[in-house]
Amino acid sequence: MSETLANLLKEERTFPPPAALAAEANVTDAAYQQAADDRLAFWETQAGRLEWSKPWDQVLDWSNPPFAKWFVGGELNVAYNCLDRHVAAGNGGKVAIHWEGEPGDTRTITYDDLLTSVSQAANYLTELGITAGDRVAIYLPMIPEAAVAMLACARLGATHSVVFGGFSADSLSNRINDASAKLVITADGGYRRGKPSGLKSIVDEALQSTPSVEHVLVVRRTGQEVAWGEKDLWWHETVERAPAEHTAQAFDAEHPLFILYTSGTTAKPKGILHTSGGYLTQAAYTHHAVFDLKPETDVHWCTADIGWVTGHSYIVYGPLANGATQVMYEGTPDTPSKSRFWEIVDRYKVTILYTAPTLIRTMMKWGADIPAGFDLSSLRILGSVGEPINPEAWIWYRETIGHGTTPVVDTWWQTETGAIMISPLPGVTATKPGSAMTPLPGISADVVDDQGKSVPNGGGGYLVLREPWPSMLRTIWGDDNRFVETYWSRFDGMYFAGDGAKKDDDGHIWLLGRVDDVMLVSGHNISTTEVESALVSHPSVAEAAVVGATDPTTGQAIVAFTIPRGNVDTSGEAGEALIQELRNHVAKTLGPIAKPRQIMLVAELPKTRSGKIMRRLLRDVAEHRSLGDVTTLQDSTVMDLIASGMQDSK
Ligand code: ATP
Ligand code: MG
């Protein structure tokens, strides 16, 4: 970026917290001041939410940056903190997970049940020779065994590497090899879109090139035929017959907990390493603070897959460390019908819903009458994560799902940060649609210019983190150099997040998309997010992705790929008229500089398996190049369709 980001979008609407929520909120305004007065003391207090076998001697060791150590000398067991201590406190009978399979089968799992299953799995993994420090790959659908497997690893000090169940054999074997995993835990298959899909068969293929794997432990989920080899073991014949008592041993606060590969939206996925004490502290604190979790009454539902960091921190570690009751759902939101999510909210009286902008925009496209058929009055907090949320999607979420009253918390964070970093607090913050607002207490985020200088209010630039935080990544697995280069070399002494951001006139933070995606038009840096939000604010548009394509006159020109809403006529002349109208709409909303050179109406956008738009592929199309790496793409046929449409329109 040769200059700071232009600041085009103006948003005047604000929504103060509901008075009743504010009056009872877990975290008040005072937390910001406490953390500002003494950041380390603040985090020390938060670490006190956990049960430690041995207290720490030092809160933070930052003597060898960027390699941080938090709660130095402290010892704890992560699984003990998520299970045993709740059982010991008399809450064993409480529901931990209301699980719902895609075909409609359900399981109700109490903390007692979960502790039993995790103890059995820990015992059996020990029998297989898994000890502290070993790596275990987990390739499972969204079934309770996924959480059980993760917690069993945590209990033994083995490092889990969860690989999203939608990834190919190649992606799986790369991840297994990168971490030299000894064990793979998988299932015969899982249900997706009404059909059993195979997982074991993909593991079999991956295992042709993974010399480190000694055993494959297979959960029977669908009952489909699977090939069986000498490394294979059925979960129900082993784990479920193992002894149900297991005593957890404490590990160092910096003991590795998991490796998780980033989504791969921009480049080759990085194996992000997280450790125990600091990670669990921040996962638990943020779940308590950002969602105002009341463990006695709330029903939390995070719709992410356990294969993403959101599933790690806000299905497994945060909620279970806090003794929450939650919903876990196996399948897709449109199976058997487009009302599946709202049926679930209604049935379990979900109070906290945490989902992604891609889903919110999809629900918008499907129309408001679908949620209108259900009682969603139990919802009291709505969360968003994964991409910038367009103001219109934010408003729709609050109005249509949150009956016009629930706070929407737009939470910015990354696989690397381990937990939420920038977000409103629902009982404190007067929110603005589309803004992640303020760094959480104890977090020092900033927006800086090219030189690393903090930009004034109204300015845009790069999002950075100035101080280490408890749940920060400790390195990229096996590649300290890439860790230093990727995150710590751009600006001296600051963590470079790779995202563009601006501060509005009140100093609130707006995420503007990835730095790699920022467009340079006639000497102005323009954010993809702002142009996309302008498009989505038009009533005919459901979703939009915008890229900068090389242009002889302007350097780069804006090319937009737009999905119309369901009821919009896009044939022939009507389509042409709509395109002109949208170009003018953007120019009117953001200024003539942001008027797209070209708009294509498309049926789908290329997305990663985590649902994020992959703009670099659209850039390839817009510039008539052959496509870059498509392995993390959800559906590669989408690109063929878009590319052929692009040819036609030339
Ligand atoms: P890769 O790093 O491999 O390209 P990725 O960045 O998509 O993949 P994740 O760690 O899952 O992998 O995603 C983190 C990124 O998601 C952030 O850096 C940011 O770009 C985006 N993001 C997450 N939450 C928000 C949010 N609330 N607002 C804006 N952007 C967000
Ligand atoms: Mg990233």
Side-chain angles (χ1 to χ4, degrees):
M1 244 186 276
S2 58
E3 56 168 85
T4 54
L5 266 156
N7 193 350
L8 300 175
L9 196 71
K10 290 278 174 245
E11 177 60 64
E12 306 293 342
R13 295 168 285 191
T14 58
F15 299 88
L21 197 154
E24 303 280 317
N26 285 353
V27 178
T28 65
D29 213 12
Y32 293 107
Q33 195 53 50
Q34 284 159 9
D37 291 345
D38 189 340
R39 189 171 58 92
L40 296 184
F42 172 82
W43 283 118
E44 191 157 32
T45 307
Q46 305 318 324
R49 309 175 165 277
L50 308 178
E51 202 173 308
W52 297 74
S53 314
K54 182 167 169 275
W56 52 89
D57 315 309
Q58 190 187 359
V59 180
L60 169 67
D61 176 358
W62 191 235
S63 58
N64 178 31
F67 299 93
K69 292 189 181 136
W70 281 87
F71 307 113
V72 184
E75 291 181 5
L76 80 173
N77 185 286
V78 168
Y80 177 91
N81 271 281
C82 292
L83 303 170
D84 308 55
R85 67 171 175 142
H86 305 314
V87 171
N91 292 323
K94 184 178 174 186
V95 175
I97 301 175
H98 291 289
W99 178 78
E100 187 157 318
E102 198 188 72
D105 49 336
T106 60
R107 284 160 70 180
T108 307
I109 299 164
T110 63
Y111 276 91
D112 274 335
D113 299 335
L114 202 53
L115 176 57
T116 300
S117 299
V118 170
S119 299
Q120 288 183 308
N123 282 323
Y124 186 64
L125 262 54
T126 304
E127 208 177 307
L128 287 180
I130 299 297
T131 58
D134 285 342
R135 273 83 58 206
V136 175
I138 298 176
Y139 186 66
L140 281 170
M142 284 287 287
I143 54 177
E145 285 79 1
V148 171
M150 290 164 73
L151 290 164
C153 290
R155 199 169 182 90
L156 297 175
T159 308
H160 58 70
S161 163
V162 181
V163 180
F164 173 58
F167 274 131
S168 65
D170 247 12
S171 309
L172 176 60
S173 65
N174 287 340
R175 287 163 173 75
I176 291 172
N177 287 334
D178 189 63
S180 308
K182 268 170 84 169
L183 170 69
V184 179
I185 304 179
T186 188
D188 49 359
Y191 289 97
R192 266 198 99 66
R193 300 200 190 285
K195 288 192 303 259
S197 69
L199 288 174
K200 171 69 166 57
S201 53
I202 296 171
V203 172
D204 290 344
E205 202 185 324
L207 253 58
Q208 316 234 315
S209 54
T210 54
S212 60
V213 175
E214 294 168 8
H215 298 286
V216 180
L217 190 50
V218 188
V219 177
R220 192 164 63 193
R221 165 66 184 131
T222 62
Q224 70 200 87
E225 278 294 321
V226 289
W228 208 248
E230 55 190 21
K231 292 180 179 175
D232 300 337
L233 301 153
W234 281 116
W235 175 282
H236 61 272
E237 290 176 355
T238 56
V239 172
E240 287 176 13
R241 292 181 191 164
E245 304 288 323
H246 181 273
T247 307
Q249 175 202 336
F251 295 99
D252 191 272
E254 283 298 333
H255 189 79
L257 179 62
F258 65 85
I259 300 166
L260 183 62
Y261 294 81
T262 52
S263 307
T265 307
T266 50
K268 181 172 168 275
K270 305 168 271 281
I272 303 301
L273 179 71
H274 283 287
T275 60
S276 303
Y279 170 79
L280 197 63
T281 295
Q282 198 175 327
Y285 172 68
T286 51
H287 183 245
H288 161 85
V290 173
F291 300 106
D292 191 45
L293 177 86
K294 310 281 197 252
E296 294 75 31
T297 48
D298 272 321
V299 179
H300 166 87
W301 183 24
C302 167
T303 69
D305 193 278
I306 234 155
W308 311 122
V309 74
T310 306
H312 280 55
S313 301
Y314 300 103
I315 295 177
V316 179
Y317 292 113
L320 296 177
N322 288 336
T325 293
Q326 68 179 313
V327 170
M328 181 175 174
Y329 170 57
E330 178 186 31
T332 52
D334 53 354
T335 306
S337 80
K338 290 180 173 140
S339 59
R340 188 64 187 265
F341 267 32
W342 316 122
E343 278 164 32
I344 292 176
V345 169
D346 194 345
R347 180 164 333 126
Y348 299 99
K349 301 294 165 222
V350 171
T351 59
I352 303 167
L353 178 66
Y354 192 27
T355 193
T358 180
L359 272 160
I360 298 164
R361 291 187 302 251
T362 303
M363 304 289 183
M364 275 172 78
K365 183 167 70 181
W366 291 344
D369 1 327
I370 296 175
F374 296 87
D375 178 8
L376 307 182
S377 62
S378 55
L379 288 170
R380 65 181 199 95
I381 290 176
L382 300 174
S384 172
V385 63
E387 286 182 292
I389 178 165
N390 319 105
E392 284 322 307
W394 192 105
I395 292 282
W396 190 90
Y397 196 25
R398 181 181 162 102
E399 293 298 322
T400 310
I401 307 306
H403 27 89
T405 53
T406 58
V408 172
V409 288
D410 174 17
T411 63
W412 178 87
W413 60 297
Q414 314 176 292
T415 309
E416 292 88 338
T417 69
I420 299 170
M421 302 292 281
I422 308 178
S423 167
L425 288 175
V428 178
T429 315
T431 51
K432 300 175 184 172
S435 172
M437 301 300 293
T438 327
L440 289 180
I443 299 300
S444 43
D446 198 2
V447 183
V448 300
D449 65 16
D450 243 359
Q451 312 304 316
K453 236 182 84 218
S454 187
V455 304
N457 287 354
Y462 304 88
L463 185 70
V464 296
L465 301 166
R466 291 189 174 277
E467 301 287 351
W469 63 100
S471 64
M472 66 194 279
L473 76 166
R474 298 307 194 256
T475 189
I476 292 178
W477 180 256
D479 202 345
D480 286 350
N481 286 336
R482 193 177 176 202
F483 169 61
V484 175
E485 248 161 57
T486 310
Y487 306 108
W488 301 95
S489 303
R490 182 66 184 79
F491 300 111
D492 199 27
M494 290 183 248
Y495 173 90
F496 170 57
D499 286 330
K502 73 179 181 193
K503 289 184 199 164
D504 67 17
D505 294 340
D506 305 317
H508 294 130
I509 295 177
W510 295 71
L511 275 302
L512 296 178
R514 292 149 199 285
V515 168
D516 307 343
D517 290 336
V518 168
M519 304 171 291
L520 185 61
V521 183
S522 304
H524 297 271
N525 280 304
I526 295 178
S527 127
T528 48
T529 301
E530 291 194 318
V531 181
E532 288 162 6
S533 290
L535 284 162
V536 173
S537 74
H538 189 281
S540 299
V541 175
E543 249 194 295
V546 159
V547 298
T550 313
D551 186 274
T553 37
T554 55
Q556 279 190 322
I558 299 175
V559 177
F561 300 80
T562 302
I563 306 183
R565 291 213 193 186
N567 51 352
V568 175
D569 179 12
T570 58
S571 56
E573 269 173 37
E576 281 310 312
L578 176 61
I579 286 171
Q580 286 319 318
E581 189 181 320
L582 292 178
R583 291 182 67 223
N584 294 333
H585 174 74
V586 174
K588 210 172 86 209
T589 314
L590 299 180
I593 183 79
K595 186 171 185 171
R597 178 183 77 188
Q598 188 179 4
I599 294 184
M600 290 192 47
L601 303 177
V602 295
E604 277 305 333
L605 291 169
K607 291 192 180 155
T608 60
R609 283 157 208 268
S610 55
K612 299 177 196 213
I613 299 169
M614 253 169 140
R615 291 179 194 74
R616 68 177 166 80
L617 295 179
L618 293 172
R619 214 153 44 224
D620 290 342
V621 171
E623 299 189 332
H624 308 282
R625 266 195 309 275
S626 58
L627 296 183
D629 184 6
V630 293
T631 50
T632 55
L633 205 58
Q634 162 124 25
D635 173 4
S636 52
T637 60
V638 168
M639 284 317 295
D640 301 338
L641 279 174
I642 294 175
S644 65
M646 192 80 191
Q647 291 304 335
D648 295 348
S649 74
K650 269 275 128 179

